[in-house]
Amino acid sequence: MRLKKDSSEQKLRGAYYTPLQLADAMVELFASQNISTVLEPSCGDGVFLDALQNLNLLNKVDKLTAVEIEPDEADKVRDRYSEFEQIEVCTEDFFDFYNRVLGKEQYDLILGNPPYIRYQYLKESQREMQSQILTSHGMKANKLINAWVAFIVACVQLLSEKGKIAFVIPAEILQVAYAEDLRLYLANNLAKITLITFEQLVFPDIEQEVVVFIGEKGEEEKGIRIIEMNNLSGFAQLDLSQNGFQKLQHVKEKWTKYFVNAEEMSLIQELRADKRFAQFSEYGIINVGITTGNNGYFSITEETSEQYQLSEVT
């Protein structure tokens, strides 16, 4: 078992900074849209502000709020962008910020890379705030839930009427049991959901598979779509105005089923209804068995092993 005292400061903070190439690509998706207010809830070294500056968008924004819990990082970002009067850098825990501005502030665009912090690495006060955020929106709170889940829930609450959220989050959102309440929450609160997946690792140093999650509020529900890319170069051909949405079921099921198109889904349903086939559940029960910490046996990294064991516990 990995004890908290033996974990790196980076892991305890969940601080895995976004590559500038990815931040630039995400910001460019919204460059042509009318964005007045922006929130970066975990700005770290300010890479998303850098991306906005690279695309000459900072001067087009009326107000940009960046939140960062680490004073040194916040000071660096504050100093770097001191000439922009519309930028406010808040040195505080995002959960505290959320409780302070909820009902008072709304944002047209919320983007960033929320911290990936396990429950056991959170302070007691953070655990209480995370639990309150989740349970107040009809979700269960337990010791398997990572901090990024509460970040998404809180940020959706801070969106304006037609606001958009763009986050880099673990690919676990697609299928793990501890995110099933989150999937239902997002289905109930967003009109459009786009998930961009990558065949190649975006964060190769930590062996963490991620997706770019884009959620949009609106009056007309469009559903969900999954866009598969080989690597970050795929953003050059991406047009968010294109359709391709599938009807999103408002249930806690895994989102992996949306990787198939409507025609393929129809075939799967046809096969399921065919009496010539039997379901495996008629003959056995699938459950997680014994897991091992002998990472060398599987030729995988310690990080991947820990993520697997955490995500598969039900």
Side-chain angles (χ1 to χ4, degrees), residues 227-238:
I227 298 172
E228 299 178 78
M229 293 184 184
N230 182 42
N231 52 43
L232 298 180
S233 63
F235 279 99
Q237 291 78 42
L238 179 59

Side-chain angles (χ1 to χ4, degrees), residues 191-202:
K192 299 178 184 178
I193 293 174
T194 301
L195 290 163
I196 302 172
T197 69
F198 306 94
E199 291 185 15
Q200 298 181 12
L201 290 174
V202 175

Side-chain angles (χ1 to χ4, degrees), residues 22-282:
L22 176 55
D24 282 343
M26 290 172 61
V27 168
E28 192 166 11
L29 295 175
F30 307 97
S32 62
Q33 302 182 24
N34 185 22
I35 303 295
S36 176
T37 53
V38 178
L39 171 66
E40 216 291 35
S42 55
C43 75
D45 60 354
V47 67
F48 283 95
L49 277 74
D50 296 340
L52 288 162
Q53 174 72 336
N54 290 343
L55 293 168
N56 299 314
L57 295 178
L58 284 182
N59 288 322
K60 298 180 181 179
V61 174
D62 294 334
K63 182 178 180 181
L64 187 151
T65 303
V67 182
E68 173 54 41
I69 192 172
E70 290 296 321
D72 290 345
E73 296 285 48
D75 287 343
K76 292 176 186 176
V77 176
R78 190 179 292 111
D79 291 343
R80 198 158 76 244
Y81 289 98
S82 59
E83 62 184 276
F84 293 88
E85 295 182 358
Q86 70 273 37
I87 295 179
E88 177 186 15
V89 180
C90 302
T91 308
E92 62 182 316
D93 190 311
F94 172 69
F95 291 158
D96 289 326
F97 172 85
Y98 166 76
N99 287 328
R100 180 167 62 84
V101 306
L102 183 63
K104 303 174 184 176
E105 301 285 349
Q106 289 188 320
Y107 301 91
D108 299 327
L109 175 63
I110 301 177
L111 77 169
N113 178 8
Y116 310 161
I117 309 176
R118 295 181 183 177
Y119 180 89
Q120 60 265 39
Y121 293 162
L122 293 171
K123 298 178 182 177
E124 187 59 36
S125 60
Q126 292 173 317
R127 293 177 181 178
E128 292 175 359
M129 286 188 286
Q130 174 169 291
S131 177
Q132 192 276 330
I133 290 171
L134 298 176
T135 57
S136 65
H137 295 99
M139 302 171 62
K140 296 187 296 292
N142 61 55
K143 296 181 180 180
L144 294 179
I145 295 179
N146 199 292
W148 64 265
V149 175
F151 261 72
I152 292 184
V153 174
C155 285
V156 169
Q157 290 299 309
L158 296 176
L159 287 175
S160 59
E161 186 177 347
K162 294 184 179 180
K164 301 172 179 63
I165 180 173
F167 269 4
V168 183
I169 58 175
E172 296 169 358
I173 190 176
L174 294 166
Q175 59 183 345
V176 295
Y178 79 73
E180 62 180 13
D181 279 351
L182 174 64
R183 292 192 289 269
L184 178 59
Y185 169 82
L186 295 172
N188 290 339
N189 287 275
L190 296 170
K192 299 178 184 178
I193 293 174
T194 301
L195 290 163
I196 302 172
T197 69
F198 306 94
E199 291 185 15
Q200 298 181 12
L201 290 174
V202 175
F203 298 95
D205 293 339
I206 61 169
E207 300 285 329
Q208 172 71 68
E209 288 190 40
V210 300
V211 299
V212 172
F213 169 85
I214 301 172
E216 303 178 51
K217 280 194 170 182
E219 298 177 358
E220 183 182 1
E221 182 177 330
K222 292 290 187 180
I224 188 172
R225 62 180 171 182
I226 294 178
I227 298 172
E228 299 178 78
M229 293 184 184
N230 182 42
N231 52 43
L232 298 180
S233 63
F235 279 99
Q237 291 78 42
L238 179 59
D239 181 4
L240 277 188
S241 65
Q242 293 180 346
N243 208 317
F245 289 96
Q246 299 185 52
K247 183 176 176 58
L248 178 60
Q249 297 181 355
H250 293 244
V251 294
K252 297 180 180 181
E253 290 182 350
K254 299 177 181 181
W255 281 354
T256 47
K257 65 180 181 180
Y258 296 112
F259 276 86
V260 299
N261 59 38
E263 182 179 348
E264 292 167 337
M265 180 59 71
S266 177
L267 175 59
I268 291 173
Q269 292 173 342
E270 182 179 334
L271 291 173
R272 283 178 174 174
D274 194 319
K275 299 301 182 183
R276 292 176 297 174
F277 299 98
Q279 294 189 11
F280 188 84
S281 59
E282 295 179 18

